[in-house]
Amino acid sequence: MVFILGVNFPEQRLVKRSLETFYGVGPSFSQRLMAHFHIHPTAKVGGLADKQVQDLTAELSNMTIENDLRRRLRDNIRRLRDMGSYRGRRHAMGLPVRGQRTRTQINNARQLNKVERRG
């Protein structure tokens, strides 16, 4: 098991997939991180040198990921709601925020907009 930023990863797992498990790190950013630290795209977590693991951990700890990013998104939505803007009211009602059609086909948008936005 390899320990990166407080998470244990199995040694046979790909580095790219392991980095993408962190909230806020997507496919393109994980690829950029791996290129920056000279890690092959098909490298396994167990094959990383200790220096590379430390460098990845240091880089990820400097970023806004996981709970900090979730908190920032929640605060931004709360700020919009408190301000009374159009987007804030749409978030509060659980309706589409970005101009999607609501006359028909709203069920999916309502489901997606409910997640962690009320409160």
Side-chain angles (χ1 to χ4, degrees):
M1 299 291 261
V2 178
F3 196 68
I4 299 176
L5 201 67
V7 180
N8 283 326
F9 292 108
E11 295 190 4
Q12 67 273 13
R13 193 166 196 188
L14 290 174
V15 177
K16 186 173 183 341
R17 295 285 304 270
S18 299
L19 289 174
E20 290 171 9
T21 60
F22 294 108
Y23 183 80
V25 178
S28 62
F29 190 76
S30 64
Q31 202 168 11
R32 254 192 296 157
L33 264 179
M34 290 173 58
H36 183 264
F37 293 114
H38 307 291
I39 301 171
H40 194 271
T42 59
K44 308 275 186 183
V45 175
L48 292 177
D50 290 339
K51 174 94 170 87
Q52 288 176 321
V53 173
Q54 291 172 355
D55 289 342
L56 280 174
T57 304
E59 185 69 27
L60 288 172
S61 64
N62 291 334
M63 294 173 44
T64 305
I65 57 173
E66 290 292 330
N67 289 335
D68 295 334
L69 185 59
R70 286 190 178 101
R71 189 176 309 113
R72 182 189 286 180
L73 288 174
R74 192 173 54 245
D75 290 344
N76 286 342
I77 291 170
R78 185 177 297 127
R79 179 183 50 84
L80 288 171
R81 289 179 62 193
D82 294 342
M83 197 174 12
S85 68
Y86 178 78
R87 285 174 53 203
R89 282 184 281 139
R90 301 296 281 189
H91 275 293
M93 291 187 291
L95 294 171
V97 176
R98 297 184 176 179
Q100 293 93 338
R101 181 181 179 88
T102 58
R103 184 172 181 177
T104 59
Q105 302 172 358
I106 191 173
N107 293 335
N108 198 25
R110 276 213 168 135
Q111 288 171 0
L112 292 175
N113 206 15
K114 280 182 187 173
V115 180
E116 278 194 83
R117 295 206 168 101
R118 299 209 176 216

